[in-house]
Amino acid sequence: MQAHKVKVTIPEDHQLEIRLPEDFPSGPAEVIVLAARPVENESRRSMMAALSELRELRRTPEEEQILEDFEKFRQSHPFTLSSLPGEE
């Protein structure tokens, strides 16, 4: 398999003409176009907004206590998944 890489600017009409080197083999090929920046879409914007909202959340004192108690329990009762029955 042979590859050829060339940087281009996508024009407003979204049509490209690609000229390959003379020594590039003729025959079936596959063309992949990679955008320089990710495409913004509604799904991505929604996900980023939700992530931003999650980052701003603050735990209640009760939640902090539960996490602290769990960490103490975990340290007192260490386990690995390999120590579970049926795991080898």
Side-chain angles (χ1 to χ4, degrees), residues 35-52:
R37 62 183 187 277
V39 176
E40 282 291 325
N41 58 36
E42 188 58 37
S43 174
R44 187 174 193 285
R45 280 191 294 272
S46 175
M47 179 183 66
M48 295 306 286
L51 180 59
S52 178

Side-chain angles (χ1 to χ4, degrees), residues 12 28 31 39 42 56 59 61 65 68 74 84:
E12 290 294 322
V31 176
V39 176
E42 188 58 37
E56 293 175 12
R59 294 185 194 115
Q65 186 63 51
E68 186 178 312
R74 193 182 65 76
L84 296 174

Side-chain angles (χ1 to χ4, degrees), residues 23-36:
D23 63 343
F24 203 86
S26 59
E30 184 175 350
V31 176
I32 299 172
V33 179
L34 302 173

Side-chain angles (χ1 to χ4, degrees), residues 9-87:
T9 300
I10 307 295
E12 290 294 322
D13 66 3
H14 298 143
Q15 294 185 29
L16 292 177
E17 181 177 322
I18 301 171
R19 188 156 311 274
L20 299 170
E22 291 293 324
D23 63 343
F24 203 86
S26 59
E30 184 175 350
V31 176
I32 299 172
V33 179
L34 302 173
R37 62 183 187 277
V39 176
E40 282 291 325
N41 58 36
E42 188 58 37
S43 174
R44 187 174 193 285
R45 280 191 294 272
S46 175
M47 179 183 66
M48 295 306 286
L51 180 59
S52 178
E53 191 175 312
L54 283 173
R55 286 182 173 153
E56 293 175 12
L57 287 177
R58 300 293 173 236
R59 294 185 194 115
T60 65
E62 293 82 8
E63 292 169 327
E64 289 291 347
Q65 186 63 51
I66 290 169
L67 290 172
E68 186 178 312
D69 291 346
F70 177 73
E71 183 60 25
K72 288 178 188 174
F73 175 84
R74 193 182 65 76
Q75 289 175 0
S76 303
H77 302 84
F79 74 94
T80 60
L81 293 178
S82 62
S83 69
L84 296 174
E87 294 291 321

